[in-house]
Amino acid sequence: MACSILKTRSPKALDRRDPGPAGCPALALEAERSVDVLLLDSIEPPQAPARRRGRERITYEVSVNQRNIEAICLCCGSFQVHIRHPLFEGGMCAPCKDKFLGALFLYDEDGYQSCCSICASGSVLLICENPQCTRCYCFECLDVLVGPGTSDKVHSMSSWVCFLCLPFPCSGLLRRRPKWRGQLKAFHDLEAGSPLEMYKTVPVWKRQPMRVLSLFGDIKQELMSLGFLEAGSQAGRLRHLEDVTDVVRRDVEEWGPFDLVYGSTPTLGHACDRSPAWFLFQFHRLLQYSRPPPGSPQPFFWMFVDHLLLTSDDQAIATRFLEIEPATLQDVHGRVLQGAARVWSNIPAVRRYWGPRGH
């Protein structure tokens, strides 16, 4: 019998590779997760993880005690609600909100989100099989919020689409919010403290390697390791420039369009006859040449990395020119890495994981 697709994961060791060539930081700083996509026989369903204490009372509180589900955290069952869940009717406590924000932009190598779209947890996840969707759901959320045994029923289906894709809005206690995409953006903008540009999800089979303009440092190996650039990519996917003094707008427009523009100051100890601020100003100049025209739906990202060379005045100028606060790269234990760096970027994951000024 056919069954729905599941995936499991286990943490890998933190990647502590040394920085690459001059001006090139070690980008793969966070702990990755290995992912296995499983086609499991429905006769032997996987064992659901132990249920977290507190969640089992959600149904009782709503059905018997008539408590409003908006006053209960959907993720853990707490009554200490901090904010509404952005996708489904229900609340979120402060710790679960932080966890949800941290997982919002995490995707695995299979192109699907890394965590459950309801609680941002889950070691075994059911994948939505709508080609336009990339969301996953854990066994516990289905069994607690939809009904006991739901995960086994879903797993036994030959094909399953999730609660954000179904034509009807309600499944058990789980009711999706109207206009949930706008709710998700408003949730992020409010809690993360800065507006977010959201783009339409590209189906997995339509995704292409990124077109990258790399200034002052060749980051090809880092992009390949992160899955942003495929080995043997056709010419033009990555353009690396060390000296940009004579580059004009016409050059960049002919080389582009680009999906990502990267630049950096030199790494510590690397001899250079230019001031660190020169790299910032040149990056800002070429960034303006690379931006899509106003109103373009093309996703466009940029990153400027300072290897702690810019003065405080230069940092203030960078923040004013780039119109965003810097983040300081740290390891998963909160200790500053050797070769730490300040990063200005519009990439949401960078801004979320390391936070403005490293907080």
Side-chain angles (χ1 to χ4, degrees):
M1 183 183 295
C3 60
S4 295
I5 300 177
L6 304 175
K7 66 177 182 178
T8 63
R9 62 175 51 77
S10 58
K12 289 182 180 178
L14 181 68
D15 186 347
R16 292 182 175 274
R17 292 172 300 166
D18 292 333
C24 175
L27 295 180
L29 294 177
E30 68 174 286
E32 298 177 353
R33 293 174 175 177
S34 61
V35 179
D36 299 315
V37 176
L38 308 177
L39 291 173
L40 301 177
D41 192 318
S42 59
I43 298 175
E44 298 180 1
Q47 294 294 319
R51 187 169 297 174
R52 284 165 284 177
R53 293 182 60 187
R55 297 201 80 190
E56 66 275 2
R57 67 184 178 185
I58 295 178
T59 300
Y60 180 84
E61 291 292 335
V62 174
S63 303
V64 179
N65 289 346
Q66 300 298 303
R67 185 183 291 268
N68 188 339
I69 197 168
E70 299 281 18
I72 306 174
C73 177
L74 285 186
C75 307
C76 70
S78 168
F79 299 149
Q80 304 299 316
V81 169
H82 172 77
I83 194 172
R84 300 195 318 171
H85 196 289
L87 303 179
F88 300 97
E89 291 185 4
M92 265 188 177
C93 66
C96 289
K97 177 265 298 183
D98 291 339
K99 186 176 182 181
F100 188 90
L101 274 174
L104 191 56
F105 302 105
L106 284 178
Y107 285 79
D108 291 322
E109 293 177 357
D110 58 7
Y112 290 88
Q113 288 196 313
S114 300
C115 302
C116 174
S117 293
I118 300 173
C119 69
S121 297
S123 56
V124 181
L125 301 173
L126 286 152
I127 295 175
C128 177
E129 295 177 69
N130 177 356
Q132 304 298 321
C133 185
T134 60
R135 298 192 176 275
C136 305
Y137 299 80
C138 72
F139 277 41
E140 183 179 307
C141 279
L142 270 62
D143 291 337
V144 168
L145 299 174
V146 182
T150 300
S151 61
D152 287 342
K153 293 177 184 177
V154 169
H155 173 242
S156 66
M157 294 178 180
S158 59
S159 181
W160 177 71
V161 295
C162 77
F163 310 103
L164 294 175
C165 298
L166 289 171
F168 46 88
C170 185
S171 300
L173 296 180
L174 204 60
R175 180 183 291 272
R176 70 169 175 260
R177 295 197 184 278
K179 301 180 179 179
W180 57 267
R181 292 179 179 84
Q183 299 269 2
L184 186 62
K185 182 183 187 316
F187 168 85
H188 177 276
D189 292 352
L190 174 64
E191 295 300 319
S194 56
L196 169 70
E197 187 75 25
M198 296 189 74
Y199 301 101
K200 185 177 180 180
T201 300
V202 179
V204 175
W205 69 89
K206 289 185 178 181
R207 296 178 187 179
Q208 299 291 328
M210 295 184 71
R211 296 162 296 186
V212 180
L213 177 61
S214 177
L215 308 177
F216 324 127
D218 188 351
I219 58 172
K220 181 175 182 179
Q221 293 302 317
E222 281 72 15
L223 291 171
M224 289 175 58
S225 71
L226 294 172
F228 294 147
L229 197 71
E230 294 177 351
S233 290
Q234 64 192 62
R237 287 292 180 186
L238 173 65
R239 180 170 289 272
H240 168 220
L241 302 174
E242 285 287 355
D243 186 358
V244 299
T245 306
D246 298 326
V247 175
V248 297
R249 181 183 294 272
R250 182 177 62 253
D251 298 324
V252 177
E253 291 176 348
E254 289 177 355
W255 297 332
F258 294 103
D259 303 305
L260 170 67
V261 177
Y262 167 85
S264 71
T265 60
T267 53
L268 290 171
H270 177 72
C272 182
D273 58 358
R274 301 185 184 277
S275 72
W278 180 88
F279 294 89
L280 166 65
F281 296 136
Q282 292 297 327
F283 171 80
H284 183 263
R285 180 174 69 88
L286 269 67
L287 178 62
Q288 307 316 305
Y289 300 164
S290 306
R291 291 185 184 277
S296 171
Q298 174 198 340
F300 177 75
F301 301 101
W302 55 266
M303 177 187 293
F304 182 78
V305 178
D306 169 34
H307 295 96
L308 308 185
L309 296 181
L310 293 178
T311 66
S312 58
D313 288 342
D314 291 339
Q315 294 172 44
I317 292 172
T319 299
R320 186 169 72 252
F321 275 37
L322 300 176
E323 300 180 337
I324 199 168
E325 290 284 333
T328 300
L329 299 188
Q330 297 174 327
D331 69 16
V332 295
H333 300 295
R335 296 186 300 270
V336 177
L337 291 169
Q338 182 179 1
R342 295 186 192 91
V343 179
W344 288 262
S345 179
N346 71 334
I347 300 175
V350 172
R351 291 158 58 184
R352 175 60 200 161
Y353 296 143
W354 294 291
R357 301 200 184 279
H359 296 299

